[in-house]
Amino acid sequence: MITTMFARTIHRRFSFHHSSISLSNSLRGNNSHSPTNLLRREMSMETERIVDRLKSSGLLQTKGLIGGKWTDAYDGKTIEVNNPASGDVIASVACMGERETKDAISSAYDAFSHWSKLTANDRSSRLRNWYNLLLQHKEELGQLITLEQGKPLKEAIGEVGYGASFIEFFAEEAKRIYGDIIPSTLSDRRLFVLKQPVGVVAAITPWNFPLAMIARKVGPALACGCTVVIKPSELTPLTALAAAELALQSGIPPGVLNVVMGDAIKIGTALTESPQVRKITFTGSTAVGKKLMAGAADTVKKVSLELGGNAPCIVFDDADLEVAIKGSLATKFRNSGQTCVCANRILVQEGIYEKFTKAFSDAVQNLKVGNGLSEGVSQGPLINEAAVKKVESFVEDAVSKGAKLLLGGKRHSLGMSFYEPTVIGDVKNEMLIAQQEVFGPVAPVLRFKTEEEAIQIANDTNAGLAAYIFTNSIKRSWRVSEALEYGIVGVNEGLVSTEVAPFGGFKQSGLGREGSKYGMDDYLEIKYICMGNMG
């Protein structure tokens, strides 16, 4: 069973894809000397230069990876990958489907018997090689991320370092998969517990962190002895393919890591229905996650899900205003608001509300919007036209219900899928923007009176991934942290993700944890061995 949400994703992909190409081509027509069109032309030239360099380095791969071989779609179909900042076509990649996915699964299944039997030290060494290669090529990988995803280059290079840190961490954890000895109730028996790799893993990853989300899943899988079939987003497959190329160079054997991309429905169905796939790990929307859970039920696969969030950021009267502004800005506008742990609601206590909203709006106004390859840019485009329309609908809903635009609130003059960094005041919790992820550069600010009210508002959601608190009271920080129904809580800090801590949510924000020593558990089976006649 696979969701029609995949179909909608593909529809939006192609709808925007065609409009962006025509928009890019239109620059050669009327008003071609306008500042915006000249800027786009410069972006197009920069895109071409980077693509040429990536081709020369061997990192720009356009075929899928099956059994260690770069493979075209069997029917020859391709899909184009666009730069969301300009609409330029970066490359055309193989559009794969059911047959290619089944072959990738078979390849991973065959490779499992060898890879799982290597020593932990051997697997660790190869992962360490991959980590080193990722860092050696961080500039090229960062440029590739910026081209296909749109985030600023500094942020993209930061993602490479962040993603590589998971490979390094799990290279070390590979040597620390310990079993147990249980004291027996009978003198002639010995009881042992072993941990063994679950088998073939299907890793379905999103477009907003095209390298880090792969590393966070594939790192522990390979460390445990599992083999993997990666399905990256059709919007950002190039980073996944480049990472796979470096994995091959690092000595990870053919078939251990495979990549298929293209028809999301056919690929997803093949992955969920195959009895050879023993685990699915997915980062994406809650709606798609639920469908994957249902699809995995027939073959009773392990499932780990990192789904949507609706993160509250609570600023109390006793907070350090400067710290609260800096932290709220970081957690709201990272990646132009396109992360699952972005602050989706900023709750400010009434005593500091006016002062906070003024200072926060001033800080947001200083954010520079533009092509992620340009110096000083901190806000890139949204991923596509559908994302902009979603943001617009949420803002319109809030304003129509009494919220006040304090800053922004419209498309940016750069056009394409750029949107102005926006602050909205007097937001109520029943508004759409406070109930669902906006996934864009819009900061809704809500007013509250008491600590109890803030906790009630914060927990009034089906999501439970991340939450943030700003207060100078140690007692309050403990009380509120424990009361919040979230898997991650940042206290006086807006950037909380790290490879050494468990990442995951409560309620409908998902199942399982990624990163840290706990991130190994979902890729392992526990085996109990009872040995008799030992007396």
Side-chain angles (χ1 to χ4, degrees):
M1 182 189 298
I2 253 339
T3 177
T4 54
M5 293 291 293
F6 281 125
R8 294 187 192 120
T9 299
I10 291 174
H11 173 71
R12 289 196 298 266
R13 163 81 179 111
F14 284 106
S15 296
F16 175 64
H17 159 72
H18 290 308
S19 65
S20 63
I21 291 175
S22 61
L23 187 59
S24 183
N25 289 339
S26 71
L27 300 181
R28 301 176 180 86
N30 296 332
N31 201 23
S32 62
H33 297 293
S34 72
T36 299
N37 287 344
L38 289 173
L39 179 61
R40 297 237 192 99
R41 189 169 296 161
E42 289 176 7
M43 282 193 273
S44 298
M45 293 173 64
E46 181 68 10
T47 298
E48 290 179 10
R49 287 193 292 268
I50 292 173
V51 167
D52 287 342
R53 288 198 297 269
L54 290 168
K55 285 180 179 177
S56 299
S57 70
L59 290 181
L60 190 69
Q61 299 292 336
T62 58
K63 300 178 181 181
L65 182 63
I66 301 175
K69 296 179 180 179
W70 294 107
T71 306
D72 281 316
Y74 295 164
D75 59 7
K77 288 183 179 179
T78 62
I79 52 175
E80 291 175 334
V81 181
N82 293 89
N83 180 344
S86 65
D88 294 318
V89 176
I90 304 167
S92 294
V93 300
C95 182
M96 296 175 150
E98 180 183 5
R99 287 192 296 148
E100 296 91 340
T101 304
K102 287 183 174 179
D103 285 349
I105 294 169
S106 295
S107 173
Y109 186 80
D110 292 342
F112 175 73
S113 59
H114 168 69
W115 179 252
S116 62
K117 288 181 175 59
L118 292 180
T119 65
N121 192 62
D122 194 345
R123 292 198 300 271
S124 174
S125 177
R126 295 171 197 241
L127 285 169
R128 169 65 70 166
N129 291 341
W130 192 19
Y131 161 75
N132 289 332
L133 285 172
L134 289 170
L135 289 189
Q136 286 173 26
H137 294 278
K138 65 180 180 180
E139 298 289 339
E140 299 104 305
L141 291 169
Q143 289 175 339
L144 189 53
I145 291 170
T146 296
L147 282 185
E148 66 175 348
Q149 198 275 332
K151 68 179 60 175
L153 182 59
K154 182 179 179 181
E155 204 170 307
I157 293 174
E159 180 185 337
V160 177
Y162 174 60
S165 71
F166 286 97
I167 304 300
E168 179 189 35
F169 181 85
F170 287 112
E172 296 163 351
E173 286 298 296
K175 296 178 282 188
R176 302 188 185 108
I177 301 173
Y178 302 125
D180 206 355
I181 299 175
I182 302 172
S184 175
T185 57
L186 300 174
S187 62
D188 66 341
R189 293 186 184 181
R190 298 295 181 267
L191 312 182
F192 302 92
V193 174
L194 301 181
K195 292 183 179 180
Q196 296 181 311
V198 67
V200 177
V201 174
I204 304 174
T205 60
W207 51 262
N208 57 341
F209 288 91
L211 179 68
M213 295 303 97
I214 288 173
R216 202 161 73 182
K217 298 174 185 302
V218 175
L222 298 189
C224 290
C226 299
T227 54
V228 183
V229 178
I230 303 168
K231 184 225 161 283
S233 167
E234 291 74 31
L235 299 174
T236 56
L238 299 174
T239 304
L241 297 172
E245 165 63 25
L246 294 176
L248 289 177
Q249 293 180 25
S250 72
I252 292 173
V256 172
L257 188 153
N258 306 270
V259 184
V260 291
M261 64 277 174
D263 189 319
I265 295 175
K266 291 179 180 178
I267 294 172
T269 300
L271 292 172
T272 54
E273 290 183 352
S274 171
Q276 292 181 329
V277 175
R278 295 309 313 142
K279 173 180 168 60
I280 290 180
T281 172
F282 169 74
T283 296
S285 73
T286 302
V288 173
K290 290 178 179 179
K291 294 296 183 180
L292 287 170
M293 278 186 75
D298 284 345
T299 49
V300 196
K301 303 183 195 305
K302 275 180 172 272
V303 177
S304 59
L305 305 170
E306 195 264 283
L307 307 177
N310 186 7
C313 177
I314 306 172
V315 182
F316 289 99
D317 282 347
D318 62 358
D320 182 313
L321 185 62
E322 186 177 342
V323 171
I325 296 293
K326 181 181 177 181
S328 300
L329 199 68
T331 188
K332 173 63 255 185
F333 290 97
R334 181 188 182 199
N335 199 14
S336 299
Q338 299 174 113
T339 87
C340 52
V341 292
C342 274
N344 203 58
R345 301 167 289 161
I346 301 178
L347 283 60
V348 183
Q349 200 160 13
E350 58 183 3
I352 202 175
Y353 180 87
E354 299 297 339
K355 192 174 181 180
F356 177 90
T357 52
K358 173 65 169 63
F360 185 69
S361 297
D362 290 345
V364 173
Q365 195 163 25
N366 290 327
L367 297 175
K368 184 178 179 181
V369 180
N371 173 21
L373 297 170
S374 299
E375 189 70 29
V377 167
S378 63
Q379 299 292 290
L382 298 186
I383 189 64
N384 58 19
E385 178 67 12
V388 180
K389 288 182 176 178
K390 178 183 177 182
V391 169
E392 286 180 323
S393 69
F394 279 30
V395 172
E396 288 169 5
D397 175 80
V399 172
S400 70
K401 293 175 180 176
K404 295 179 181 178
L405 273 176
L406 303 179
L407 184 71
K410 62 182 184 297
R411 291 174 183 252
H412 198 278
S413 59
L414 287 172
M416 295 301 296
S417 56
F418 288 96
Y419 195 88
E420 292 185 355
T422 297
V423 182
I424 307 178
D426 294 334
V427 172
K428 305 300 180 187
N429 203 44
E430 61 270 13
M431 294 176 181
L432 194 60
I433 202 165
Q435 290 296 314
Q436 298 180 29
E437 273 188 305
V438 65
F439 234 64
V442 180
V445 187
L446 295 76
R447 193 189 309 250
F448 72 90
K449 292 182 180 180
T450 66
E451 181 180 306
E452 293 73 22
E453 182 188 9
I455 293 169
Q456 187 276 323
I457 293 171
N459 288 338
D460 185 20
T461 174
N462 288 328
L465 185 54
Y468 307 89
I469 307 164
F470 290 91
T471 176
N472 276 334
S473 167
I474 296 295
K475 290 182 178 180
R476 170 174 277 163
S477 68
W478 275 110
R479 282 196 310 269
V480 178
S481 293
E482 292 177 354
L484 289 171
E485 297 168 353
Y486 290 82
I488 303 165
V489 179
V491 180
N492 295 324
E493 180 55 63
L495 299 176
V496 295
S497 298
T498 169
E499 74 278 11
V500 300
F503 189 102
F506 290 7
K507 298 188 281 190
Q508 293 185 32
S509 282
L511 301 169
R513 294 295 182 270
E514 295 184 330
S516 81
K517 65 179 183 179
Y518 304 104
M520 301 284 278
D521 294 345
D522 280 335
Y523 299 91
L524 295 166
E525 296 280 18
I526 294 177
K527 178 180 287 183
Y528 155 55
I529 301 174
C530 175
M531 302 182 70
N533 294 312
M534 300 292 288

